[in-house]
Each structure stands twice: as C-alpha cells, then as structure tokens.
Amino acid sequence: MNAPGWALIVGGAGALGAFLGERLRAAGWQVVASTRPGRGGDPAWAADLLDPTACAALARRVHDDPPDLLLWCAGRFRLDQAYARAHVLEDVAVNALAPYEIGLAHLEGAARAGRPLLQVHLLDAAGRRPYLRAPGYSLSRGAHESALALLARQAPEQGVVVGIRLGILDVPGRPRPAEAAIAARDALLGRVGALEELGALIDAVVDAPRAFSGAIVDLDGGLSQRRNSLQRPPGE
C-alpha cells in the first residue's frame, strides 16, 4: 500500500484527525473526513455514532465503497467522578461498537471487491490501564481493544488491521500541565508523546502495513513501559 489511494478518517474534525488528514493529503492521498453532522466533514459521510441508524448507514456506505485506508480517530470522553451506567453505554456505543461495526463493514466490502485494505485505529492507554476518574471511558476503551482483536482475526488475506495505543500527547493549543508533569516523572523519555511522532508512525504503517499486521503499538513517551502493573502507582 505504498501508492496513495483514498482514505476515510472517522473523527476527522478533531485535533488528531485533522492533523493526520493534512499529513495524508500532503503525501498524495485523497482524504474524506467523516464527522458528526455540521462539524465540517464531508456531508455525504457524516454520522452521529451515538445513533444506531446513522452508524448502520455509514457502515453500509463503507461496505459499498471501501476506502484503501480507514483511519479511526473518533472517540467520546467524559470525566466522571462516579460510575453511571447510562454514560458507560453511550461511551461503549461510540468507542467500541461503532469502530467494530464500521470496521467489519470495511473488511467485508474490501474482500468482496478483492482489494487490499488497511485499518488503523487510534486506541487509548485507558483501555489497558483504566483512568480512575473516567470509568465509563476506560471500560469502553478496553472494549475497543477487544473489537480491534476481533477485526484483526476477521481480516481477509489482503487486509491489515493495526492499533496505535496513545498515552498523553502534546497537542498545540491544548495544554495539559498536570499530565505533562506525570509523564516527566514516570515516562522513559521524560515527556509526553508528540503529534509529529504519531504522524511518523502512521507514515511507517502506511508504507509497510504487513510489518504491523495485527499489532498494537504504544505511543506515550515510554510511559507504558514504566507502568506495566495494574496497581495504582504512588501519587496518582
């Protein structure tokens, strides 16, 4: 998949989706952004992922016209001090069910067309090590990782499914001093991850997708290497 084709970025209006979209365009890709209606993406590919009907419609469209690259950047985050079942169900719908349903439609559509495909899902470190102040989000991100494993096992011979598990990223205009302090203390590199590192990793996956087939790659400044225990670390 070295030659640029067309890419669908689900969650293309967010900071990460917009950044990666511009990077892909600069490399010669035709990029379509799928966002919630009215968020600036392509209206023909718009969908509210909380709406099962809209999600199913997007899945059908992806099946009938499968992109060469499906890049999943969408996510729903809410910082809840207390567990709330209704919030968890909403988070799971957006962060796990939607990527599985649309990802599966992508696999099936590409297999029908006999075309190679690549799926890249941006995961969150909360799926591996839950955030105490965001139980619903953490549960949903763990489910996303399970969905990714299912998709990788269901991929056709020419299909590649890859996950990139993000920790704390330095996003311009969105300072996170508390998180940056944690990373400086605990991460192997002594800092948070950088957008440019994410872009370089996407470039590598696109250039040699088979080398990453079925993998989940951590991008967090080395924080996950120091925090490989389920126990709560001191000071959190």
Side-chain angles (χ1 to χ4, degrees):
M1 187 162 292
N2 295 322
W6 86 273
L8 176 66
I9 302 181
V10 182
L16 301 185
F19 168 78
L20 294 174
E22 288 303 312
R23 193 179 184 98
L24 289 170
R25 289 187 186 94
W29 286 77
Q30 176 190 349
V31 176
V32 174
S34 173
T35 66
R36 292 199 304 272
R39 289 292 303 276
D42 188 324
W45 294 85
D48 180 352
L49 299 178
L50 261 179
D51 181 348
T53 301
C55 195
L58 180 58
R60 286 192 299 271
R61 174 131 200 197
V62 168
H63 176 276
D64 295 342
D65 186 12
D68 300 294
L69 167 62
L70 174 63
L71 180 54
W72 194 275
C73 299
R76 177 182 175 88
F77 178 78
R78 176 177 21 218
L79 192 63
D80 294 324
Q81 293 283 0
Y83 171 88
R85 184 182 180 87
H87 293 172
V88 173
L89 295 177
E90 291 178 350
D91 292 343
V92 169
V94 173
N95 295 337
L97 296 180
Y100 178 72
E101 292 164 357
I102 294 168
L104 184 60
H106 182 225
L107 297 180
E108 293 174 344
R112 174 186 54 82
R115 292 169 44 197
L117 65 88
L118 172 62
Q119 278 185 36
V120 180
H121 293 244
L122 298 189
L123 308 171
D124 192 290
R128 179 183 181 186
R129 191 173 184 288
Y131 301 151
L132 295 178
R133 297 181 61 199
Y137 180 75
S138 299
L139 286 167
S140 69
R141 284 305 194 174
H144 190 183
E145 295 208 12
S146 294
L148 184 80
L150 284 170
L151 291 169
R153 296 189 66 177
Q154 292 171 280
E157 184 177 351
Q158 298 188 75
V160 173
V161 179
V162 179
I164 298 176
R165 188 190 287 120
L166 301 177
I168 305 165
L169 280 186
D170 182 12
V171 178
R174 293 166 57 182
R176 301 173 67 178
E179 291 89 343
I182 291 173
R185 181 192 69 198
D186 293 347
L188 289 176
L189 297 182
R191 60 169 176 78
V192 298
L195 272 184
E196 192 59 34
E197 292 169 340
L198 174 60
L201 181 53
I202 293 288
D203 291 347
V205 171
V206 169
D207 286 342
R210 288 285 175 189
F212 295 90
S213 184
I216 294 179
V217 182
D218 285 298
L219 182 64
D220 58 8
L223 191 62
S224 59
Q225 300 305 310
R226 288 276 178 85
R227 291 186 168 190
N228 57 5
S229 169
L230 292 178
Q231 296 178 352
R232 179 177 178 178
E236 184 181 281

